[in-house]
Amino acid sequence: MSETLLVERHGPVGWLIFNRPRVGNAMDAEMMAALPEAWRALDADPDVRAIVVTGEGRAFQTGLDVVQLNRDPAALREMSRRTKRAELQLTAWHLGVAKPVVTAVNGVCAGGGLHFVVDSDLVIASEKASFLDPHVSVGQVSAFETIALARRASFGPVARMALTGAHERVTAAEALRLGWVSEVVAPEELRPAAQRLAEHIAGNDPEAVAATKRALWRALETGLSEARGLKRRPAPFPQEQRK
């Protein structure tokens, strides 16, 4: 496995840890290549019942390492191709990971780093965490990450972050108020809190957890009736709920 992406297992909890702290854990070609393999390995591991994503150092994740990618034209072309075709393979959602995912935001989360927030099932944050989307400040369109966040949370604050670019940051406290994260803890408590939360999830029936995750995401991505698997004239108790 790549040194830029650490994979750990602690009891029933698997961990993915971004490990490029000197550059804000920005994604280089090596990390992007390692992510699909790491996600699939943890999802396939029968001893892992939940997955936590976090970062080393003072930043959580700051998107693409453009400097490094400019030195690797092939990797840059491939990333551009996947982005244009909406074929990214970075997050659990991109790769269809069935196991529940907790994202623990330890510091600044910027640009492409927001993928890991909006595509996870639960998000908690350190008091030192902050969120910003600098795409428009560097002449890029803010699309995938903020669209997903706007679907999960209130539109106005997401639009403000996307349109102000690098000029404003959303604090952890504000993110909690807005519902972007479900808990804010002291920096030294973040990993223990994420481990506890993941263990609580892991202690539940795995089939019920997996079915619940599918239903919740289906509700987010489709209408209510489609998410519940209902027909045009639904019965009071759908077949899948009676089982």
Side-chain angles (χ1 to χ4, degrees), residues 16 35-36 39-40 43 51 53 82 85-103 114-121 143-145 147-149 151-152 213-214 216-222:
L16 286 183
L35 277 164
W39 280 117
R40 289 175 180 133
D43 200 30
I51 303 169
V53 184
R82 288 185 178 180
R85 296 184 180 182
E87 296 175 349
L88 297 176
Q89 294 189 337
L90 305 175
T91 70
W93 184 84
H94 292 151
L95 293 156
V97 171
K99 291 176 180 174
V101 176
V102 176
T103 291
L114 292 166
H115 279 297
F116 299 94
V117 171
V118 301
D119 288 353
S120 68
D121 302 305
F144 298 111
E145 305 94 320
I147 288 171
L149 186 57
R151 187 70 188 262
R152 292 179 61 149
K213 171 172 175 166
R214 286 196 303 272
L216 287 170
W217 277 97
R218 197 179 298 145
L220 188 65
E221 296 167 2
T222 64

Side-chain angles (χ1 to χ4, degrees), residues 46-215:
D47 294 327
V48 171
R49 303 275 287 273
I51 303 169
V52 176
V53 184
T54 195
E56 282 287 352
R58 300 175 64 182
F60 167 70
Q61 167 60 247
T62 55
L64 296 180
D65 186 340
V66 179
V67 174
Q68 189 277 334
L69 286 173
N70 280 332
R71 300 194 201 104
D72 189 341
L76 185 59
R77 284 195 300 272
E78 177 62 13
M79 187 62 190
S80 297
R81 183 192 68 80
R82 288 185 178 180
T83 300
K84 289 177 181 178
R85 296 184 180 182
E87 296 175 349
L88 297 176
Q89 294 189 337
L90 305 175
T91 70
W93 184 84
H94 292 151
L95 293 156
V97 171
K99 291 176 180 174
V101 176
V102 176
T103 291
V105 184
N106 55 297
V108 64
C109 176
L114 292 166
H115 279 297
F116 299 94
V117 171
V118 301
D119 288 353
S120 68
D121 302 305
L122 296 172
V123 186
I124 66 173
S126 159
E127 293 169 344
K128 293 187 175 181
S130 61
F131 305 82
L132 72 153
D133 185 8
H135 280 101
V136 296
S137 295
V138 293
Q140 297 178 346
V141 175
S142 178
F144 298 111
E145 305 94 320
T146 47
I147 288 171
L149 186 57
R151 187 70 188 262
R152 292 179 61 149
S154 54
F155 178 84
V158 176
R160 177 170 178 140
M161 178 179 69
L163 297 175
T164 56
H167 295 290
E168 292 191 23
R169 293 192 182 201
V170 176
T171 65
E174 184 69 0
L176 179 64
R177 187 186 72 80
L178 293 170
W180 297 3
V181 305
S182 63
E183 182 181 5
V184 175
V185 299
E188 66 275 11
E189 287 297 317
L190 182 65
R191 291 198 186 186
Q195 179 73 20
R196 285 194 301 272
L197 179 58
E199 286 179 355
H200 289 327
I201 297 169
N204 294 320
D205 180 81
E207 293 186 6
V209 167
T212 299
K213 171 172 175 166
R214 286 196 303 272

